[in-house]
């Protein structure tokens, strides 16, 4: 997957060059504006303004997110406070000394094991024989496969790669338009961070001290709802364009596909069921997922080979290191934000405006949409959750509901440029220009936005199931 991302992030097509030229012009304008902000904040001794100005200046200069967070934090502490810089090491360690964060490396490893263990192919075969014969059946099968694989991997890019690399060529072979195939799978892959397990949910829970288990359960109903929305869009477009249908499978073929995929289907049932019944915690469920993945891959599917393990372990270590580096720097950033009482001040200002929850959530969705264009979900949550969370609580918004709103917003960010990772992955595996992939996702993106509005203003969608399981 790293090779795919490296290829698509270095444009060599005219459409991509034009896109990135426009991006550079806008970036230069923002750099000038932010540089003025840094100078002004130093002159006025405004620590909060300096922190955010330096952060976004570094981001627009092309620094990685983690480096930008770290340098902005260090520069602000050094210039505006008398705190010894070595004390930061202790604060960072205290922030990372969290049992729920241990779930992240295990879920990353489990996702890579499942991707290499033949799970995706079996899920696709199962969904194809059940829904492949209806209009847009192959696309609907791809959407459902993405949803099920999301419940195993917890990663949007991994879902796009695992399902898209198989499903997109199959749809094109059966006469589906390539843009239709790419658009449906690219957006359905975003379900990877909403349907549990979900790394952004773990990060949110740790950042604002909420229950990972409740968040996981709360993501199930919104995830299923969005799956149906995406499948409905696929059905409508396919019916309008009269795409060819595959032959209806016999009950024998359906039973055979189910029998072949039963071990793949058991994985999310055991992981989520174990959390629901209290047999193990979400963190322990991540370790269980790794063990189950190895058992199923080696003993039952037999698609996982010993020679695959070094690559799986190295890829998992790289991804985990990247995520923890971002989390570490973001926690340092959040420490300064709290030290400067920025969340408290924002809460006071918004409260003084007499803004109700409806208006506040509109502001939140717009802010997260903009942030999603430039930053990775983990960084957005660790930076903005501590700022927005106190305001949400003051306005009576349920913390679990607010977490799901943030995660669905992260889904939108995964399929919108310029940092929509799913777009880059889809472009890499299909060789389609980035702009064409972006255009292809629009019908399904509209469905996700409609789902976001419903999740935002109908709390029961997120809270019904956790309230049923855990009680009010």
């Amino acid at each position: 997957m790293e090779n795919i991302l490296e290829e698509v992030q270095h444009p060599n097509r005219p459409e991509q060059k034009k896109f990135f030229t426009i991006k550079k012009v806008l970036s230069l304008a923002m750099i000038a504006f932010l540089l003025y902000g840094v100078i002004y904040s130093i002159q006025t001794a405004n620590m909060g303004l300096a922190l955010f100005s330096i952060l976004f200046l570094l981001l627009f200069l092309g620094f990685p997110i983690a480096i930008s967070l770290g340098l902005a934090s260090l520069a602000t502490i050094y210039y505006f406070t008398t705190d010894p810089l070595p004390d930061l090491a202790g604060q960072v360690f205290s922030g990372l000394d969290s049992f729920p964060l241990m779930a992240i490396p295990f879920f990353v490893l489990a996702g890579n094991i499942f991707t290499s263990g033949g799970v995706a192919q079996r899920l696709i075969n199962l969904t194809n024989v059940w829904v492949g014969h209806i209009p847009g059946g192959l696309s609907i099968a791809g959407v459902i496969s993405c949803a099920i694989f999301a419940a195993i991997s917890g990663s949007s890019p991994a879902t796009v790669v695992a399902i898209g690399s198989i499903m997109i060529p199959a749809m094109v072979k059966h006469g589906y338009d390539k843009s239709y195939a790419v658009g449906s799978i690219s957006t359905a892959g975003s379900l990877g961070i909403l349907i549990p397990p979900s790394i952004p949910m773990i990060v949110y829970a740790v950042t604002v001290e909420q229950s990972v288990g409740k968040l996981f359960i709360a993501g199930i109903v919104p995830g299923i709802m969005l799956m149906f929305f995406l499948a409905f869009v696929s059905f409508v477009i396919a019916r309008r364009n009269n795409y060819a249908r595959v032959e209806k499978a016999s009950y024998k073929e359906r039973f055979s596909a189910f029998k072949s995929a039963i071990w793949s289907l058991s994985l999310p049932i055991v992981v989520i069921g174990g959390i629901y019944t209290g047999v193990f915690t979400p963190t322990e469920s991540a370790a269980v997922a790794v063990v189950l993945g190895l058992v199923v891959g080696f003993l039952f599917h037999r698609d996982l080979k010993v020679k695959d393990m070094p690559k799986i372990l190295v890829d998992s270590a790289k991804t985990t290191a990247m995520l923890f580096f971002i989390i570490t720097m973001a926690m340092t950033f959040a420490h300064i934000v709290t030290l400067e009482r920025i969340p408290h001040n924002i809460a006071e200002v918004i409260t003084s405006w007499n803004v109700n929850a409806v208006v506040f959530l509109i502001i939140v969705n717009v802010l997260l949409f903009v942030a999603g264009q430039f930053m990775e979900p983990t960084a957005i949550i660790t930076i903005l959750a501590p700022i927005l969370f106190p305001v949400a609580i003051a306005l009576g918004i349920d913390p679990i509901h607010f977490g799901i709103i943030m995660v669905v917003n992260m889904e939108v960010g995964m399929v919108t440029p310029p940092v929509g990772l799913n777009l880059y992955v889809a472009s890499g595996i299909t060789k389609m220009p980035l702009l064409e992939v972006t255009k292809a996702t629009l019908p399904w993106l509209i469905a996700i936005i409609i789902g976001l509005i419903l999740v935002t203003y109908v709390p029961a969608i997120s809270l019904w199931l956790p309230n049923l399981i855990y009680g009010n």
Side-chain angles (χ1 to χ4, degrees):
M1 189 165 118
E2 290 179 359
N3 294 334
I4 292 173
L5 292 177
E6 183 178 352
E7 177 183 343
V8 297
Q9 287 174 341
H10 294 81
N12 53 14
R13 305 182 183 97
E15 298 90 344
Q16 286 181 291
K17 287 182 178 179
K18 181 179 178 181
F19 173 77
F20 281 92
T21 299
I22 296 173
K23 179 183 173 183
K24 287 179 180 178
V25 172
L26 294 175
S27 296
L28 288 173
M30 284 299 300
I31 287 170
F33 175 74
L34 292 168
L35 187 58
Y36 171 77
V38 173
I39 297 172
Y40 178 78
S41 64
I42 293 175
Q43 291 175 341
T44 58
N46 190 323
M47 182 176 171
L49 178 61
L51 180 66
F52 284 95
S53 296
I54 295 172
L55 169 64
F56 287 105
L57 176 62
L58 293 173
L59 288 174
F60 277 98
L61 287 173
F63 283 75
I65 292 172
I67 298 295
S68 300
L69 288 166
L71 289 178
S73 302
L74 289 173
T76 305
I77 290 175
Y78 179 78
Y79 188 85
F80 288 95
T81 74
T82 57
D83 294 349
L85 291 181
D87 287 356
L88 279 178
Q91 294 168 358
V92 169
F93 178 81
S94 297
L96 291 177
D97 188 18
S98 171
F99 184 64
L101 282 179
M102 287 300 298
I104 293 178
F106 283 114
F107 277 130
V108 170
L109 177 58
N112 286 332
I113 291 172
F114 298 144
T115 303
S116 303
V119 172
Q121 181 64 65
R122 286 169 171 78
L123 294 177
I124 289 172
N125 291 340
L126 175 64
T127 52
N128 273 346
V129 299
W130 280 95
V131 300
H133 60 281
I134 65 178
L138 289 180
S139 175
I140 295 172
V143 170
I144 297 173
S145 297
C146 284
I148 299 174
F149 193 82
I152 298 172
S153 71
S155 167
S156 287
T159 302
V160 175
V161 171
I163 304 300
S165 58
I166 301 170
M167 207 67 204
I168 293 174
M171 281 193 272
V172 173
K173 181 180 178 181
H174 283 82
Y176 288 74
D177 184 77
K178 188 175 183 180
S179 295
Y180 171 88
V182 172
S184 62
I185 300 300
S186 299
T187 46
S190 66
L191 295 171
I193 61 173
L194 177 60
I195 297 177
S198 164
I199 291 174
M201 286 184 188
I202 296 171
V203 174
Y204 172 84
V206 172
T207 302
V208 298
E209 299 181 351
Q210 292 298 311
S211 166
V212 177
K214 284 187 178 180
L215 280 164
F216 276 9
I217 300 300
I220 294 175
V221 174
I224 294 173
M225 181 187 75
L226 285 178
M227 180 194 74
F228 277 108
F229 282 8
L230 296 174
F232 179 73
V233 172
S234 296
F235 172 81
V236 171
I237 296 176
R239 190 170 185 179
R240 184 183 64 191
N241 294 333
N242 197 29
Y243 288 139
R245 311 180 194 182
V246 298
E247 184 178 348
K248 187 174 182 179
S250 65
Y251 284 106
K252 182 179 180 180
E253 291 172 323
R254 293 180 181 184
F255 177 76
S256 176
F258 176 78
K259 184 179 178 181
S260 175
I262 192 167
W263 292 111
S264 300
L265 294 172
S266 69
L267 295 170
I269 293 173
V270 171
V271 172
I272 303 302
I275 297 172
Y276 162 69
T277 57
V279 174
F280 38 73
T281 67
T283 303
E284 292 166 345
S285 75
V288 171
V290 172
V291 175
L292 286 177
L294 291 173
V295 171
V296 170
F298 279 120
L299 300 182
F300 296 103
H301 290 170
R302 298 184 180 179
D303 292 323
L304 194 62
K305 308 298 180 184
V306 175
K307 65 180 181 181
D308 298 329
M309 290 308 299
K311 184 178 185 304
I312 290 173
L313 292 172
V314 170
D315 288 346
S316 300
K318 288 180 179 178
T319 303
T320 301
M322 176 196 70
L323 290 172
F324 270 86
F325 190 26
I326 292 174
I327 292 170
T328 301
M329 295 299 100
M331 283 183 171
T332 307
F333 186 89
H335 167 71
I336 302 172
V337 168
T338 305
L339 185 69
E340 189 67 1
R341 292 174 59 83
I342 291 176
H344 179 77
N345 293 336
I346 291 175
E348 284 188 342
V349 170
I350 293 179
T351 303
S352 68
W353 290 347
N354 292 321
V355 172
N356 58 30
V358 173
V359 176
F360 171 71
L361 289 175
I362 293 175
I363 296 171
V364 167
N365 283 332
V366 172
L367 178 61
L368 292 175
F369 177 81
V370 174
Q373 312 309 299
F374 303 101
M375 290 191 289
E376 190 267 345
T378 303
I380 294 173
I381 291 173
T382 47
I383 293 171
L384 294 182
I387 297 174
L388 299 173
F389 183 78
V391 185
I393 298 303
L395 293 174
I397 299 170
D398 186 272
I400 300 299
H401 176 217
F402 190 67
I404 299 302
I405 292 172
M406 292 198 74
V407 173
V408 177
N409 270 284
M410 299 304 98
E411 278 196 85
V412 175
M414 297 297 288
V415 289
T416 50
V419 188
L421 189 55
N422 284 15
L423 302 178
Y424 288 99
V425 173
S427 176
I429 63 178
T430 62
K431 309 304 178 185
M432 280 181 65
L434 184 62
L435 285 178
E436 288 187 21
V437 174
T438 303
K439 292 176 183 177
T441 61
L442 289 178
W444 291 270
L445 177 59
I446 292 172
I448 293 179
I449 293 174
I450 292 172
L452 171 62
I453 294 171
L454 290 174
V455 168
T456 300
Y457 292 110
V458 185
I461 295 174
S462 304
L463 299 179
W464 172 76
L465 192 56
N467 286 343
L468 178 67
I469 294 174
Y470 294 95
N472 293 317

